[in-house]
Amino acid sequence: MSRRHLPPLTSLRAFEAASRHLNYERAGDELAVTASAVGQQVKTLEAWLQRPLFARLPSKGIALTPLGQRYATAISQVLDQLDEATARALRPDTANILTVSTMPSFALSWLIPRLGELKQRHPELEVRISVSMHLTDFTREDVDIAVRYGQGAYTGLHSELLMTETFFPVCNAALLNDPERPLREPSDLRHHTLLHELAEGIPEYVTWPQWLAFAGVDDIDASHGPRFSHTFLALQAASSGQGIALATSALIGDYLDAGRLVRPFPQQLPGAYQYYVVCPEALAERPAIAAFRRWIHEEAARHANLR
């Protein structure tokens, strides 16, 4: 490896703070030094680079030069990475503690019911489940691995397809055999309440209008009916006989196996998004993460075979 050609870290910190504030005094407050000390460190860095990073304005203010702007962006990213690496280094040794982030519905309907199997397979692992709808920022959050719902393009991360997903109606068995409003074909849905999931922020998520069009039904108004923030809430409402829910193969849980819900029709529409296991490239082969990856893929394959 060639010798690194690096400027003084103190000068880089001063320059980065000054580039964000565009004011030496405020940068000094952040770094707990004087404004003149910040200015001196910036001059030291400019001398080291032999290039100007700030333009001094007539009003005695400062502005980044084009080079300064590019350099500030790069240095800010490097300092963020250094901050995260230091935070990780200062944490206690948690080699067998694994924090997994995923969506609430996936955690409740799929992951948590299977954690007993993971514990039997790997009793040494201590798994912590974190639920969130936002994408995990591995550089800032204390998360080791995540299950994401998307299209798999996650720059800088190790990404593996976990499972595909299809959508289909489900209902309580009593509704299926209702003598007055039987469910024999998709057009019979006009006589029943449709239960909806609010899929805000997920473009192309399959909803009732898409499924009905797929099934060739174009004369049902799908704008009415109760709405729920998560899949498991809509499934619970359906199991209690409140209407027909649009379920997904990934999140149906044990409702079908236990007979709490049934599928009135065979039609199932593939979703635009799938489930992926993601983690930082550098951590993919860490023993605890590698063990979890192997286990969850085996469980997903077994789940697919049962379906």
Side-chain angles (χ1 to χ4, degrees):
M1 179 184 293
S2 60
R3 179 175 175 272
R4 290 190 176 92
H5 194 53
L6 301 175
L9 179 58
T10 302
S11 295
L12 289 177
R13 290 185 65 213
F15 164 68
E16 194 273 339
S19 71
R20 283 186 283 106
H21 294 288
L22 292 179
N23 182 286
Y24 287 166
E25 186 172 348
R26 287 196 292 271
D29 291 341
E30 177 182 321
L31 300 175
V33 298
T34 64
S36 60
V38 172
Q40 187 58 50
Q41 289 296 336
V42 170
K43 288 181 181 178
T44 298
L45 181 59
E46 290 178 322
W48 193 92
L49 293 170
Q50 298 184 2
R51 287 171 175 79
L53 298 173
F54 285 108
R56 279 66 183 177
L57 303 177
S59 61
K60 295 186 179 180
I62 55 173
L64 286 163
T65 64
L67 170 63
Q69 182 65 62
R70 295 192 300 272
Y71 197 49
T73 300
I75 294 302
S76 182
Q77 293 172 352
V78 170
L79 290 179
D80 284 343
Q81 293 171 359
L82 179 59
D83 178 67
E84 173 59 21
T86 302
R88 287 183 177 273
L90 291 174
R91 291 172 191 160
D93 185 7
T94 56
N96 292 328
I97 297 177
L98 195 68
T99 300
V100 182
S101 175
T102 189
M103 299 76 65
S105 288
F106 186 83
L108 183 66
S109 302
W110 197 96
L111 183 57
I112 291 176
R114 290 170 167 78
L115 288 182
E117 297 290 336
L118 176 62
K119 191 64 177 177
Q120 289 183 1
R121 179 85 63 86
H122 296 285
E124 76 283 2
L125 290 184
E126 182 179 335
V127 177
R128 299 173 178 176
I129 304 299
S130 173
V131 295
S132 175
M133 293 301 293
H134 73 265
L135 294 182
T136 300
D137 183 347
F138 288 96
T139 65
R140 297 182 181 275
E141 299 178 52
D142 189 12
V143 172
D144 300 295
I145 192 167
V147 177
R148 286 183 176 175
Y149 184 64
Q151 296 180 317
Y154 304 116
T155 303
L157 296 178
H158 181 86
S159 175
E160 302 168 332
L161 176 65
L162 179 64
M163 66 177 75
T164 59
E165 180 177 56
T166 59
F167 291 75
F168 46 84
V170 293
C171 65
N172 184 292
L175 284 183
L176 180 66
N177 300 311
D178 186 333
E180 297 182 1
R181 301 180 301 166
L183 284 167
R184 300 288 182 262
E185 55 188 33
S187 60
D188 293 331
L189 289 168
R190 63 170 47 87
H191 304 300
H192 294 268
T193 299
L194 301 183
L195 306 175
H196 304 263
E197 179 183 354
L198 296 172
E200 297 176 355
I202 307 179
E204 300 181 62
Y205 191 81
V206 175
T207 57
W208 275 115
Q210 285 81 21
W211 190 90
L212 290 169
F214 169 76
V217 180
D218 58 7
D219 57 352
I220 292 179
D221 183 358
S223 63
H224 303 292
R227 283 163 167 73
F228 303 89
S229 59
H230 297 291
T231 300
F232 60 84
L233 298 176
L235 294 179
Q236 183 60 39
S239 70
S240 62
Q242 296 179 37
I244 319 294
L246 196 57
T248 86
S249 56
L251 303 181
I252 190 62
D254 64 354
Y255 281 94
L256 296 178
D257 297 336
R260 288 181 289 165
L261 289 173
V262 295
R263 291 182 58 177
F265 320 117
Q267 292 93 332
Q268 53 185 9
L269 176 60
Y273 300 96
Q274 317 301 338
Y275 290 85
Y276 292 84
V277 179
V278 299
C279 65
E281 287 281 4
L283 301 180
E285 298 306 323
R286 180 183 135 194
I289 292 178
F292 181 85
R293 286 170 47 219
R294 287 192 299 271
W295 169 81
I296 198 171
H297 280 290
E298 291 171 6
E299 282 297 306
R302 188 167 70 87
H303 173 79
N305 291 334
L306 291 176
R307 291 285 168 259

